Amino acid sequence: MAYQVLARKWRPKTFADLVGQEHVVKALQNALDKGRLHHAYLLTGTRGVGKTTIARILAKSLNCENPSNGEPCGQCQSCTQIDSGRFVDLLEIDAASNTGIDNIREVLENAQYAPTSGKYKVYIIDEVHMLSKSAFNAMLKTLEEPPEHVKFILATTDPHKVPVTVLSRCLQFVLRNMTPQQVADHLAHVLRAENIPAEPAALQLLGRAAAGSMRDALSLLDQAIAMGSGKVSEEDVRHMIGAVDKRYLYELLQSIAEQNGAALLQKAQEMAARAIGFDSALNELAVLLQRIALFKTVPSAISQDDPERDTLQILAEHLGDEQIQLYYQCAIHGKRDLSLAPDEYAGFVMTLLRMLAFSPLAAAGQPTNGQISGTELHTPSTEKETGAKKPIALPDHSGQPEAAEPSDVQVIEEATPENKPAIAPEAEQVEPPPFIEPIIEAPVFAEAVPADTIFEHAVAVTATQAEEYSPPWEETPSEHEISATQPYPDYPIDYPPPFDDEEANLLPLPESEHITYGSNEEEDGVETDAEETFAPMPEFTADNWAQISFRLSRKLGAAQMLTNHAAWVDFDTENKVLTLSLTANAAKEAKSKGFFDKIRNALAEAYDMPDLKLQTCAWEENRNWETPAMRKNRLQIEGRQRAQQLLESDPACQKLMNLLDCHEWKADTIELAENIEE
């Protein structure tokens, strides 16, 4: 008998044989067991997840002579004929080859006849999204109300191309991609049944390479068996799918952790000489960093018999949490930018150099001209020559390249009380004012902090006149970050307050238009309600229209959108007629008379005017009409201008602008925390 490939030989024959898709199997089995059968099913999912397989099993269950809890027996005549492809009442149609209306018309004409030998006529239409528009239209009526003896099972990899009129007539099931672990476990089961030896690491590689498709995994397994001459080894699988030898990854991380740039570049050149795919290398490096982070956070997640456990433990001991996260981000961003690099080797090397040069965000703060200690890039040469560092000893992996010589690598010296940088005695007694503390003790960042971020916090400090301020990137400065005797050049220690009383009175706002900074309406909700309940309403005049609209906003609900965009035009005191004018955009949306009735009723109740009438007029430009929304925007602009003047007159802000070489303000980036109570 001719050899049968594993993907066909191990194709599931019953629901119990399926791997994954439990949500679909459970629903179908219960429907078959209870007799709640739909006339049309739609199975969607990527290639190789079991759409056609489930369709055939469902066809067997529908026509099985001895079903058990929704499972086909596999022994009756219907089951055996369906397995062999000779069942006359099961018709499989490839919609990719039969896309025309004539093919569908032929199917629909035959559907009216009773089944020959089975209980149901089952039509399996694969890749149904390939049908033409006319073909879909032709089958709509039959698909909605087919004969009782007909069942349609549609399968597609792209349900978005199926017309919604077809989707609404089907019971849809979405098949999920299988996880790498599910694929690896099933491959191990297949190999045990086939009596073929295999290494667990090789099956894990095949599980990831299959990308959720069991058919692809079995095809790759066939190829790996042929390549290994009857066995499946990790080395053969890596060579077959282009995966990177993990020893390279270990040594790359070892060189990065030890800040050994020479060894890092040497390893990259060796990988290039072996024609290793750098895209795959960065992907595998990200996976390794993820496993290190997992081991460091949840050690029990890595099983004791995992062959990588010892290596992961050693690397986790020499890499901090921040370093692992930073290197992981560098790896995935480097993989994304690889196509933009001059060539893959250059992009790969730049990613490694980025890991080597960058410091985590949580690194100890340093002065502007300071050096980061403990790194090969920044440590003075005299320290390199005299420092006695021990290399990272990785476990030996048989059959793989040996680790670099101990003399070629160095480790990062851990910070201890003995090697912490000394602080000058006089520096401990000098304490700069809290306001300039963030400027003097600015930390070293992995990436530059945008100037806009610094200015936002400068605005907050100036507006609230904060006596103590700590920026979000540094909550508690370390005591040894910088000596207080080494401030920025020409930066005075005894600094005046941010602005004096005379400066604070620049551009004073009227009391009626006062903006309260930093208020929180939700936290002060009880007090606000109490004030609004007992405070008298403003006088019913045009000048108070914005305050009136604000006070009635809770009663108006959705109608407040109209008052916010309506200007007070005139009030006839004799006839009690209030005239409002809506802006052009608001007039388009004002289609409900109920909103105007709600506004009139709220005003009449608030001012005890039961005979109040409300009318609108067309908006006229150049009439100096101002809606509450326009007024709020005007106050915000004036507030930004006032805040900008206060900042420009503040010596600390001037010093910061000179330090960052900034000479132009972006007024729209100044945000005011305001709560206008009118």
Side-chain angles (χ1 to χ4, degrees):
M1 183 178 177
Y3 174 73
Q4 191 176 22
V5 297
L6 295 178
R8 294 187 60 191
K9 181 178 180 181
W10 287 90
R11 192 167 198 165
K13 300 292 192 300
T14 62
F15 287 123
D17 297 336
L18 283 169
V19 178
Q21 320 305 345
E22 289 82 4
H23 61 295
V24 178
V25 171
K26 182 178 180 181
L28 292 178
Q29 282 184 322
N30 290 339
L32 289 166
D33 191 33
K34 302 297 183 182
R36 301 177 62 88
L37 301 176
H38 203 271
H39 58 269
Y41 297 88
L42 177 63
L43 305 175
T44 66
T46 57
R47 79 277 181 272
V49 294
K51 299 184 297 297
T52 308
T53 299
I54 291 179
R56 291 178 179 176
I57 297 175
L58 179 58
K60 284 200 297 184
S61 299
L62 289 171
N63 288 285
C64 181
E65 299 175 4
N66 305 302
S68 175
N69 297 325
E71 284 278 11
C73 67
Q75 305 295 329
C76 65
Q77 183 178 1
S78 298
C79 291
T80 54
Q81 287 182 354
I82 291 176
D83 288 336
S84 60
R86 295 181 289 105
F87 191 66
V88 294
D89 292 324
L90 173 62
L91 180 62
E92 292 192 33
I93 303 171
D94 181 16
S97 304
N98 304 278
T99 61
I101 186 174
D102 294 335
N103 306 107
I104 296 300
R105 217 171 254 157
E106 182 181 355
V107 171
L108 300 178
E109 289 175 357
N110 293 330
Q112 59 183 326
Y113 301 111
T116 304
S117 58
K119 302 176 185 176
Y120 297 96
K121 268 192 172 183
V122 182
Y123 292 93
I124 300 177
I125 305 179
D126 202 4
E127 299 300 337
V128 69
H129 67 275
M130 300 291 288
L131 290 177
S132 63
K133 184 177 181 181
S134 57
F136 275 123
N137 291 334
M139 65 183 299
L140 280 179
K141 188 61 178 177
T142 306
L143 193 63
E144 183 177 10
E145 297 179 358
E148 294 183 357
H149 58 269
V150 173
K151 301 294 180 186
F152 287 98
I153 306 177
L154 314 180
T156 178
T157 56
D158 197 349
H160 302 290
K161 293 183 180 180
V162 179
V164 292
T165 51
V166 174
L167 294 176
S168 64
R169 289 165 167 81
C170 299
L171 196 63
Q172 185 174 354
F173 293 99
V174 180
L175 277 65
R176 305 166 185 159
N177 285 357
M178 276 153 279
T179 64
Q181 189 60 46
Q182 286 178 322
V183 174
D185 292 343
H186 185 66
L187 295 184
H189 168 70
V190 171
L191 291 174
R192 282 194 299 269
E194 297 285 337
N195 293 322
I196 297 175
E199 297 179 5
L203 301 183
Q204 293 291 338
L205 287 173
L206 292 175
R208 289 205 300 268
S213 171
M214 188 62 74
R215 183 174 62 229
D216 290 359
L218 290 171
S219 299
L220 288 173
L221 182 61
D222 251 331
Q223 185 179 354
I225 294 172
M227 189 169 185
S229 185
K231 63 178 182 179
V232 181
S233 64
E234 181 182 2
E235 183 179 357
D236 290 337
V237 172
R238 286 188 180 277
H239 183 64
M240 180 185 76
I241 65 177
V244 186
D245 191 338
K246 285 197 174 180
R247 187 61 188 176
Y248 288 119
L249 305 179
Y250 299 151
E251 293 179 352
L252 287 175
L253 280 183
Q254 178 183 0
S255 301
I256 293 171
E258 297 168 351
Q259 292 291 306
N260 192 336
L264 192 67
L265 292 179
Q266 180 182 0
K267 191 57 58 180
Q269 292 173 358
E270 184 179 340
M271 294 172 67
R274 293 177 176 267
I276 293 176
F278 293 116
D279 182 90
S280 177
L282 289 175
N283 188 68
E284 292 291 331
L285 186 60
V287 172
L288 177 59
L289 288 166
Q290 181 266 339
R291 285 174 60 80
I292 295 174
L294 186 63
F295 179 85
K296 199 174 183 66
T297 308
V298 189
S300 59
I302 307 298
S303 61
Q304 295 291 337
D305 57 350
D306 193 308
E308 291 185 344
R309 184 179 177 86
D310 293 339
T311 305
L312 295 177
Q313 182 176 1
I314 295 174
L315 291 174
E317 291 173 354
H318 288 82
L319 294 175
D321 294 334
E322 298 85 2
Q323 286 178 291
I324 296 172
Q325 296 296 330
L326 178 62
Y327 297 159
Y328 177 81
Q329 290 293 327
C330 290
I332 60 177
H333 285 289
K335 183 178 183 294
R336 182 195 63 187
D337 299 339
L338 205 59
S339 59
L340 305 176
D343 56 71
E344 283 199 351
Y345 176 74
F348 180 69
V349 170
M350 282 302 298
T351 302
L352 297 180
L353 293 179
R354 192 176 299 134
M355 296 180 182
L356 195 68
F358 279 10
S359 299
L361 189 63
Q366 299 289 336
T368 304
N369 299 323
Q371 304 291 343
I372 302 176
S373 60
T375 67
E376 189 74 15
L377 292 181
H378 302 134
T379 305
S381 58
T382 56
E383 182 180 340
K384 296 179 190 176
E385 296 174 359
T386 59
K389 298 180 180 180
K390 296 181 180 180
I392 299 176
L394 293 176
D396 186 22
H397 294 261
S398 58
Q400 297 177 342
E402 296 183 358
E405 294 296 329
S407 59
D408 296 335
V409 294
Q410 294 178 336
V411 297
I412 301 174
E413 194 169 338
E414 295 185 0
T416 61
E418 290 75 19
N419 59 22
K420 283 185 178 179
I423 302 176
E426 57 271 18
E428 299 178 355
Q429 302 172 2
V430 180
E431 183 176 358
F435 181 73
I436 63 172
E437 195 171 344
I439 301 177
I440 290 182
E441 300 187 353
V444 176
F445 295 94
E447 297 180 2
V449 178
D452 290 347
T453 305
I454 298 178
F455 286 132
E456 286 180 10
H457 293 288
V459 172
V461 172
T462 305
T464 58
Q465 304 182 25
E467 296 181 358
E468 295 184 359
Y469 173 67
S470 180
W473 54 79
E474 182 182 15
E475 296 181 3
T476 306
S478 302
E479 61 179 0
H480 62 275
E481 285 178 343
I482 181 172
S483 173
T485 61
Q486 299 176 354
Y488 286 112
D490 301 327
Y491 197 94
I493 295 299
D494 297 329
Y495 224 81
F499 51 85
D500 53 24
D501 296 337
E502 182 177 346
E503 292 172 335
N505 293 326
L506 292 175
L507 292 178
L509 291 176
E511 185 176 355
S512 61
E513 298 182 357
H514 178 67
I515 298 177
T516 304
Y517 294 93
S519 62
N520 191 323
E521 187 175 359
E522 293 182 2
E523 295 179 359
D524 303 332
V526 177
E527 297 181 4
T528 303
D529 292 342
E531 292 175 1
E532 291 182 0
T533 301
F534 298 104
M537 290 291 295
E539 185 180 354
F540 196 67
T541 62
D543 294 337
N544 295 331
W545 171 240
Q547 299 181 28
I548 295 172
S549 174
F550 178 79
R551 289 289 301 274
L552 296 179
S553 59
R554 298 194 178 186
K555 295 183 179 180
L556 296 177
Q560 66 178 307
M561 297 174 61
L562 296 183
T563 60
N564 286 339
H565 297 279
W568 179 302
V569 176
D570 182 53
F571 177 60
D572 186 351
T573 55
E574 182 178 353
N575 298 317
K576 298 293 189 296
V577 178
L578 173 63
T579 304
L580 302 177
S581 180
L582 296 174
T583 60
N585 292 334
K588 294 179 182 178
E589 302 296 332
K591 300 178 181 179
S592 174
K593 182 178 178 297
F595 284 168
F596 292 101
D597 292 340
K598 198 167 187 179
I599 295 172
R600 193 210 70 82
N601 295 336
L603 291 171
E605 180 183 355
Y607 290 94
D608 194 20
M609 291 189 293
D611 54 346
L612 177 68
K613 301 179 182 64
L614 189 65
Q615 67 180 16
T616 61
C617 65
W619 183 270
E620 298 180 18
E621 300 293 340
N622 303 323
R623 291 293 300 272
N624 294 326
W625 291 344
E626 186 179 52
T627 67
M630 293 178 180
R631 180 176 180 276
K632 182 177 181 181
N633 186 53
R634 174 175 59 80
L635 292 179
Q636 289 178 343
I637 294 175
E638 293 175 356
R640 289 195 186 100
Q641 293 173 350
R642 178 172 177 266
Q644 182 174 341
Q645 291 187 4
L646 293 175
L647 286 170
E648 290 176 348
S649 62
D650 179 55
C653 186
Q654 294 174 2
K655 194 71 176 179
L656 181 63
M657 293 176 65
N658 294 333
L659 181 66
L660 298 176
D661 195 21
C662 299
H663 306 288
E664 182 180 352
W665 282 88
K666 291 185 178 180
D668 56 345
T669 62
I670 301 178
E671 297 184 4
L672 304 176
E674 60 176 314
N675 180 25
I676 306 177
E677 297 187 1
E678 316 191 76

